[in-house]
Amino acid sequence: MSFTTVLPSSNSKLFKNTTPMSKKHKFKPQFGRNENDRKSSGSGPSHSPAKRPMPPPQAHSTPPRKKARLSNGVASAIQEQRRELPIARGREALIREISANEVTVLIGETGSGKTTQVPQYLLEAGLAQAGMIGITQPRKVAATSLAARVSLEQGTPLGGCVGYAVRFDERAGPDTRVKYLTDGMLTRELLGDPLLSRYSVIVVDEAHERTLRTDLLLANLKRILRERNGSGKQKENPLKVVVMSATMDAEKFSRFFNDAKILYVKGRQHPVKIYHTSQSQTDYIDSAMRTFFQIHVDQPPGDVLIFLPGQEDIESLQKSLEMFSRQLPIDFPTVLIVPMFAALQASQQQDVFKPTPKGSRKCILATNIAETSITIPGVRYVIDTGKSKEKRYLAGPTGSGFDTLLTRDITKSSAMQRAGRAGREGPGFCYRLYTEDAFKQMAAAPEPEILRCSLVQAILQLMCVGQDIQELELMDSPDDDAIISALKNLFIIGAIDDKRRLTPLGRVLASFPLEPAHARAVVASKDLGCTSEILDIVSVLASSSKLFLDVSDKRSEIADVRRKLVHPSGDHLTLLNTVRGYSTVGIADASTQENGKAGRNARREWARQHFVNERTLREAANIRDQLRVSCERAGFDWKVSCGDAEEPVLLALSHGLAQNAALITPDGTYKQTAGQQIVKIHPSSTMADKKVPAIIFDELVYTNQIYARGVSSIQKSFLASLGAFNTRKA
Ligand code: CDP
Ligand code: MG
């Protein structure tokens, strides 16, 4: 069977024949050697002394801890791997420099061992005696999977010496000395501990990504350094800061921290041959699939890493790849598809690091998480769609605005990082599904998030620790419009008063690990007697993946089975019906309830039948448990329920989503009450074809027009009582 018969649209293949690409292909080689093939000499930090042999692992100077049971063979293989990482040669120099300096900037190529090794070196050198070593990551998956790896390397159970803390999930205890956390979690810790006094070292990792939280954290670290280490202060508990980045933008970080010392660690980068398409591609999923099979059929062994914008693209490509790889002749290597994105469960995350079995080829479908935060071994081919999802704030005409998640072209710096992933273990190949011209037109590097995101939550958190974003010493400061818009939003939900002062309500809202809008709905539910319902809804909204699955060839079947879940007032109560439908499966039947496994199976089957993502429901249940704790702390009863009454639930939600309200116009579209933006209801909404006087919605998505998603019909009178019409007062 030839390759051509395998694929659906063979006449539009990127490659017209099956000869190895090195001879004939439609991709044009871009550079003889690639732009990642950096010239650099020596290994380890650039100033490291003459190479010395790697010292034997040192005795830990931290208290004795429980060892996880590992066979000696496995344990020594892991130590061997550690010693072979490029960073290992610079170990002593790193320890020396970090010990000697208050702030150190460490630059090193992806995969050199920065994230996993630096904290362990510092631990082993005794720097975690007075306080913990905290390492921040922009993404949850990176924090949890790195903590798992490092605890394995330390030979201790996860949550022991090495732990993690991400929103709604924590594995850390009294023995924890090394803690991986998201930058958001550490900025939250500032609320209760403004000097981060539990930490003796903070490692700000992936600093080049310049997330909003990283920037806020860097500003706060600068302040904390002054307060904890400043002259005249008792230096009992000094703080050290290490800023780590995979790209060469060290100077800016160094300047920010008063010309902090910069260390470089050289990675192991082999040449990567880069190909561009000769024409621009309209359907990157289809192009990626065809390119994958072309590699699979023509090219020698080696795993393939495909960069896609988000989870939905990953799941859709996964389906197509699975379908077509089943049709390959049996003598072909098996295709092993491994997705890697934020919403994956911890247990699934580790799959990607397992060695590829002989006779198969791993195909990893990843978001930009695999660009610099996670290094996957065995990759020889990279397929780069040239797209990523980016949060961006769209300012409305009257100063109001909203965050949208847009699929956008990546930057040159991302494109180079992506290509570099192919050359870690040997020469590699990168297939860019865009033209060389498109590459040249890309922006150099992403804009810091603080300049393009909503500041609502950030400003609220800062206010709680008595900080004013306009007075904070930031690497880049947001413009006034973005600040004013966030303040308006905070005013609408009652978090600040008309003199921009934090209200007691604002403080309560900040105590919930939720977006302020969702926290507002929870607080409103207290007086309206529907906390149980609101927690069910909000915990799904706060989870990282979608609840309803959409299978394009099964739309009518889906509509049929979901009919009984659909609530006439819209998406929020439909969601509530779904959560309740799922959680009562197996409970009505006493025999299955007794048998836990049967109950679980019944629920799984229910989710499957209703095309509902069970992973989302399980994550939401976990979030709900934690929100119940937050409710107890805030002093209200999470069990209070309004039964089947819909009005209290919609009114509570409206309190939170007051900024996201719209009224119908004569032409059938809706006009936002704050900001006058015209919006349409997204086709995926249960409200899509309905015309009602007023709606609230979770978010706006921007495709060819502006759509509201997660929509409910509300009474117009709700809005008057919320003050959504009075936004200009703020
Ligand atoms: O931070 P940097 O990119 O410099 O490297 P790292 O994340 O510390 O990765 C060092 C090595 O650990 C890489 O070879 C990874 O493949 C490996 N690793 C692993 O095997 N399992 C993990 N969960 C994480 C990293
Ligand atoms: Mg790293």
Side-chain angles (χ1 to χ4, degrees), residues 482-686:
I483 295 172
I484 289 168
S485 159
L487 290 170
K488 273 187 180 172
N489 198 321
L490 289 171
F491 175 74
I492 292 175
I493 59 172
I496 59 173
D497 64 16
D498 56 4
K499 300 210 168 53
R500 292 187 177 195
R501 286 174 309 206
L502 183 68
T503 61
L505 172 61
R507 208 170 275 285
V508 177
L509 297 181
S511 74
F512 283 89
L514 288 171
E515 280 176 34
H518 294 160
R520 182 67 186 89
V522 175
V523 171
S525 75
K526 185 186 175 190
D527 291 337
L528 294 162
C530 56
T531 306
S532 166
E533 285 75 18
I534 292 294
L535 288 191
D536 276 347
I537 295 172
V538 162
S539 52
V540 174
L541 298 180
S543 59
S544 42
S545 35
K546 283 202 311 185
L547 179 61
F548 295 114
L549 300 168
D550 181 28
V551 185
S552 49
D553 49 347
K554 293 198 174 139
R555 293 237 162 93
S556 63
E557 190 186 330
I558 292 178
D560 277 348
V561 292
R562 284 213 195 121
R563 197 150 290 143
K564 55 183 178 297
L565 299 175
V566 171
H567 191 284
S569 74
D571 297 329
H572 295 98
L573 291 173
T574 300
L575 195 152
L576 181 64
N577 284 344
T578 309
V579 174
R580 300 206 154 157
Y582 171 80
S583 53
T584 48
V585 175
I587 287 178
D589 176 355
S591 64
T592 46
Q593 190 191 7
E594 271 165 34
N595 184 344
K597 194 166 171 217
R600 267 200 304 282
N601 288 343
R603 279 192 291 280
R604 175 167 316 139
E605 183 53 24
W606 187 92
R608 201 191 57 76
Q609 275 171 4
H610 290 84
F611 296 91
V612 166
N613 192 349
E614 202 191 5
R615 180 170 59 213
T616 309
L617 286 166
R618 282 202 305 257
E619 186 188 350
N622 176 28
I623 293 174
R624 188 177 52 205
D625 287 347
Q626 311 217 20
L627 292 177
R628 286 174 176 171
V629 176
S630 301
C631 280
E632 276 165 9
R633 274 199 210 119
F636 49 103
D637 183 1
W638 51 262
K639 291 186 217 73
V640 172
S641 159
C642 61
D644 289 331
E646 61 185 85
E647 199 180 303
V649 180
L650 292 171
L651 185 53
L653 285 169
S654 302
H655 272 93
L657 298 173
Q659 170 93 345
N660 292 354
L663 298 176
I664 195 139
T665 64
D667 67 9
T669 55
Y670 292 84
K671 194 186 227 173
Q672 221 185 333
T673 51
Q676 308 291 302
Q677 186 74 57
I678 297 287
V679 300
K680 280 190 150 183
I681 297 180
H682 196 270
S684 68
S685 168
T686 56

